[in-house]
Amino acid sequence: FDAICADLPWGQLTGSHTENEVLYPAALSEWSRVAASGARLAVITHEVNLFEALLEPFARLWALRDSFMVFQGGLHPRVYVFERVGR
């Protein structure tokens, strides 16, 4: 794949923080497996602390290109844009 877009569960209406602790690293692993070199990955999540805590092991695979907060119904999720490096 050369582009991947994901709206991960935030653990509020769908899923839970505990389930996200399993889902998020699994998603990062699968995206890393299927993404071509140079692929773009865009992710939105409100589980900012969890997501950022999981990024270190994937730093050699994904270069963060942009990150910004958006506003949705009183929540402040963050959007991350990565580029797949190496292969």
Side-chain angles (χ1 to χ4, degrees), residues 2 15-16 22 25-26 30-31 34 45 54-55 58 69-70 75 81:
D2 60 5
S16 68
V22 175
E30 184 64 8
W31 298 331
V34 301
T45 182
L54 296 169
L55 293 178
F58 297 93
M69 186 183 307
V70 295
L75 300 175
V81 180

Side-chain angles (χ1 to χ4, degrees), residues 24 45-47 56 69 71-72 78 80 86:
Y24 280 31
T45 182
H46 194 250
E47 283 259 37
E56 186 178 339
M69 186 183 307
F71 301 96
Q72 186 208 1
R78 187 165 286 277
Y80 299 86

Side-chain angles (χ1 to χ4, degrees), residues 4-81:
I4 301 168
C5 182
D7 178 357
L8 292 171
W10 299 358
Q12 291 160 324
L13 296 177
T14 303
S16 68
H17 179 74
T18 302
E19 291 171 337
N20 289 346
E21 289 177 324
V22 175
L23 174 67
Y24 280 31
L28 283 161
S29 292
E30 184 64 8
W31 298 331
S32 299
R33 186 184 72 80
V34 301
S37 182
R40 293 294 175 137
L41 167 63
V43 176
I44 185 169
T45 182
H46 194 250
E47 283 259 37
V48 172
N49 293 333
L50 171 62
F51 189 72
E52 290 185 356
L54 296 169
L55 293 178
E56 186 178 339
F58 297 93
R60 63 181 176 76
L61 303 174
W62 293 100
L64 182 62
R65 296 296 183 221
D66 200 2
S67 167
F68 53 91
M69 186 183 307
V70 295
F71 301 96
Q72 186 208 1
L75 300 175
H76 306 288
R78 187 165 286 277
V79 175
Y80 299 86
V81 180

